[in-house]
Amino acid sequence: MNDLTIRQMRSDEIALAIDWAAAEGWNPGLADSPCFAAEDPQGFFIGEFDGQPAAVISCVNYGTQFSFLGFYIVRPDLRGRGYGLKIWNAAIAHADRRVIGLDGVVAQQANYQKSGFTLAYANVRYGGTITAPPAPSTGVVALSDVPMALIEADDATVFPATRPAFLRAWINTQGHVGRGLIRDGRLAGWGVIRPCRTGRKIGPLVADDRASAEIILSALLANAGSGEIFLDVPAVNRDAFALAQGLGLAPVFETARMYTGAIPPLRIDRVFGVTTFELG
């Protein structure tokens, strides 16, 4: 294990972690790299063996209280040598005393529990090919036209920490399309769709109720056109399940959302689509 050298990634190296995630079947977005680096560019780590990449991981710090762990991958030909544990420990150290969250594959849930993580709920990825619906006639605006203060305030109801830099990048990156539904001066619903290695993903999709989520979803799909889409749904939100199934989507795989400690109360009933399994 001593022959693995660990260092922080340069921003241009985050693409490697995304490529490895794609090879594992996680289907990342085409422009994820600069968005992921926006909030905590020091939170990405690479382990090198014999001068070549051997393992990657991220642990992105959101403020002083919360971190999210992702991209935990060891190169297939080097697994079983302890490299995963060594780079894992480096990522956990970066989080310091923050509560850490992750979306792990179900098969590794027991191992995460041994490291102090507790299951909160499952997330289920739904996927399928859809025909673009007509755009809603009224009420929907471009998310880039919504004041960031409104978006950040609403995001705080569904995510354990503030993440202004990430949200700005996620909304404004070329190829990402966002839509918002404003009622009585606040966001009743909002979401983003982005192109991925395969098809498009919708996330986040946040709304007061299923009807509002359907309006935002229709606006996003009308803009994107027909094709393959994916929506990551918290298993505890039955309305979100019904929404995905109503589109004719089917479960693709499942993750375990886990935390190392207590997080602020969140409105998971408003989460109809998770932003990203890699950064929460």
Side-chain angles (χ1 to χ4, degrees), residues 49-73:
F49 169 72
D50 198 22
Q52 298 298 317
V56 295
I57 198 169
S58 65
C59 196
V60 170
N61 292 340
Y62 293 102
T64 61
Q65 302 297 318
F66 184 68
S67 299
F68 201 89
L69 189 145
F71 290 115
Y72 182 34
I73 307 170

Side-chain angles (χ1 to χ4, degrees), residues 9 36 66 84 105 114 123-124 157-158 167 205 234 269 276 279:
M9 288 184 187
F36 287 173
F66 184 68
V105 295
K114 292 176 183 177
N123 285 314
V124 179
T157 70
V158 298
L167 288 173
L205 179 59
D269 60 298
T276 161
L279 265 72

Side-chain angles (χ1 to χ4, degrees), residues 19 26 60 63 82 86 97 103 106 108-109 112 116 119 123 132 174 196 212 236 246-247 250 252 261:
D19 286 342
W26 283 67
V60 170
K86 190 172 183 181
R97 298 182 180 181
D103 272 311
V106 175
Q108 293 297 321
Q109 183 176 328
Y112 294 136
L119 178 67
N123 285 314
Q174 186 175 4
C196 295
S212 300
V236 292
L247 288 170
V252 176

Side-chain angles (χ1 to χ4, degrees), residues 119-189:
L119 178 67
Y121 51 84
N123 285 314
V124 179
R125 173 162 295 168
Y126 277 83
T129 301
I130 59 96
T131 300
S137 57
T138 59
V140 176
V141 299
L143 196 58
S144 57
D145 292 338
V146 176
M148 277 304 303
L150 286 182
I151 299 172
E152 291 174 22
D154 198 80
D155 187 61
T157 70
V158 298
F159 192 75
T162 58
R163 47 180 179 173
F166 172 78
L167 288 173
R168 288 186 177 90
W170 199 250
I171 292 166
N172 296 312
T173 289
Q174 186 175 4
H176 291 206
V177 175
R179 294 291 183 264
L181 178 65
I182 297 180
R183 292 191 185 124
D184 301 322
R186 59 174 296 275
L187 276 175

Side-chain angles (χ1 to χ4, degrees), residues 1-9 13 16 20 44-57 73 75 78 81-84 86-88 90:
M1 192 164 66
N2 293 329
D3 50 3
L4 186 76
T5 301
I6 298 173
R7 61 176 175 81
Q8 289 177 326
M9 288 184 187
E13 292 177 313
L16 173 68
W20 283 17
F44 296 81
F45 299 85
I46 186 168
E48 295 174 319
F49 169 72
D50 198 22
Q52 298 298 317
V56 295
I57 198 169
I73 307 170
R75 211 173 76 197
L78 295 176
R81 301 189 182 192
Y83 295 163
K86 190 172 183 181
I87 200 167
W88 169 277

Side-chain angles (χ1 to χ4, degrees), residues 86-99:
K86 190 172 183 181
I87 200 167
W88 169 277
N89 288 337
I92 296 297
H94 178 70
D96 197 20
R97 298 182 180 181
R98 296 170 178 85
V99 173

